[in-house]
Amino acid sequence: MPKSTGTQTKPDLRLVSAEAEIYDLMRGPQTTADRVKRLQAEARALAVEQVEALERLLVEAARMAQDIAKGGEAYPVGAREIASRLADDLPKKAETIKLIVSRAQ
């Protein structure tokens, strides 16, 4: 509803976050079982988001490991060797995680 300040009328604007839920005033209160189902669904969604973030980090770590492995004499021999193994292994692990998440959804 607009607010009136003297001669000017200002609209009553409020920001609502994208995640905000609009409660239907016509429906009855949520049962405990409904709340549990909703919270479990939210928990699963958050878990998938976190696993997907891990997958992205593994891919990025593999890129960095590849850079180190090919970095030449600037990097210690042991570090290059470990980085080379990680560059080979991490993309496979990330792909496995991606497949697990896709099956779980």
Side-chain angles (χ1 to χ4, degrees), residues 38-86:
R38 181 180 53 81
L39 291 171
Q40 286 174 336
E42 286 180 29
R44 281 190 297 275
L46 288 171
V48 167
E49 285 177 22
Q50 189 171 25
V51 171
E52 288 172 342
L54 173 61
E55 185 254 328
R56 288 189 300 273
L57 287 171
L58 289 175
V59 169
E60 180 60 31
R63 283 190 209 114
M64 187 180 290
Q66 186 69 25
D67 290 344
I68 292 170
K70 293 182 176 182
E73 298 297 319
Y75 296 95
V77 174
R80 289 193 318 253
E81 182 63 33
I82 291 171
S84 176
R85 287 188 225 143
L86 287 172

Side-chain angles (χ1 to χ4, degrees), residues 2-95:
K3 292 181 182 177
S4 180
T5 56
T7 59
Q8 291 183 336
T9 303
K10 292 184 181 178
D12 186 11
L13 301 176
R14 298 174 192 194
L15 296 177
V16 178
S17 71
E19 295 83 28
E21 290 186 28
I22 298 175
Y23 188 77
D24 182 0
L25 295 176
M26 298 304 290
R27 80 172 178 201
Q30 241 183 358
T31 66
T32 301
D34 290 338
R35 287 184 61 213
V36 167
K37 287 178 188 175
R38 181 180 53 81
L39 291 171
Q40 286 174 336
E42 286 180 29
R44 281 190 297 275
L46 288 171
V48 167
E49 285 177 22
Q50 189 171 25
V51 171
E52 288 172 342
L54 173 61
E55 185 254 328
R56 288 189 300 273
L57 287 171
L58 289 175
V59 169
E60 180 60 31
R63 283 190 209 114
M64 187 180 290
Q66 186 69 25
D67 290 344
I68 292 170
K70 293 182 176 182
E73 298 297 319
Y75 296 95
V77 174
R80 289 193 318 253
E81 182 63 33
I82 291 171
S84 176
R85 287 188 225 143
L86 287 172
D88 289 338
D89 193 42
L90 289 179
K92 295 171 193 167
K93 300 292 186 197
E95 188 61 31

Side-chain angles (χ1 to χ4, degrees), residues 91-102:
K92 295 171 193 167
K93 300 292 186 197
E95 188 61 31
T96 300
I97 287 174
K98 185 185 280 187
L99 288 172
I100 291 168
V101 168
S102 69

